[in-house]
Amino acid sequence: EVNKERGPVHIAAQKLGLTVDFVKENENKIPLLEPSNFDAAISVGAVKRAHDPIVFVDTVLKSLRPDGKFYLVEPGVSDVESLLAAALDDSPLVAQCDVSIEDDIIICVVTRAPYSHLDQRKTTKSTGATEKAAAPPG
């Protein structure tokens, strides 16, 4: 469900010439998002509440353009740390993940892998040369 409601985030985005859509999981169904359609995504407390956290994170990452950012803020470190690790550690969509923990809150900035990085990983895996290709410099 996409919410077009105007609020402070929409007003600020409009002043910057940006478009903002709020999307929420509805009835334990992760919404279909257009692949490579967004520059950034923000999730506050959604991983822990998602019906399938791994599918949720994967869906959001796929909706980002290459080098897009996924900002996650999750309260309750002990509740979500293993969920985030399972969702992000082996994902070919993750180029970089910066995590900090402050006052029992995980703050995570994930950078989506560029297409060339994804193509390189797929090729390497299919030839069996190595388990993962080296990340591109930079």
Side-chain angles (χ1 to χ4, degrees):
E1 174 184 337
V2 177
N3 183 349
K4 297 286 185 181
E5 180 182 310
R6 288 184 50 86
V9 172
H10 279 108
I11 293 168
Q14 185 179 24
K15 287 183 179 184
L16 295 170
L18 302 172
T19 302
V20 175
D21 289 328
F22 288 93
V23 180
K24 67 179 188 174
E25 185 177 53
N26 192 7
E27 298 176 12
N28 293 327
K29 294 179 184 170
I30 296 170
L32 296 174
L33 300 173
E34 186 74 26
S36 301
N37 194 41
F38 298 98
D39 294 317
I42 301 170
S43 169
V44 179
V47 171
K48 179 168 46 176
R49 294 188 316 263
H51 179 67
D52 187 335
I54 294 172
V55 172
F56 167 77
V57 170
D58 191 58
T59 299
V60 173
L61 288 171
K62 286 178 182 176
S63 76
L64 295 175
R65 291 185 178 104
D67 296 321
K69 302 287 188 198
F70 184 16
Y71 302 93
L72 295 120
V73 178
E74 290 290 333
V77 171
S78 60
D79 296 338
V80 296
E81 193 168 22
S82 62
L83 291 174
L84 285 174
L88 298 171
D89 282 354
D90 293 324
S91 174
L93 298 169
V94 175
Q96 182 176 344
C97 182
D98 298 312
V99 178
S100 65
I101 299 173
E102 299 174 23
D103 298 324
D104 201 37
I105 297 172
I106 294 178
I107 301 165
C108 185
V109 180
V110 181
T111 303
R112 187 194 192 278
Y115 289 125
S116 60
H117 181 64
L118 292 174
D119 293 342
Q120 183 182 13
R121 289 175 67 113
K122 287 179 188 173
T123 302
T124 303
K125 281 187 177 183
S126 67
T127 62
T130 59
E131 188 174 286
K132 291 183 182 177

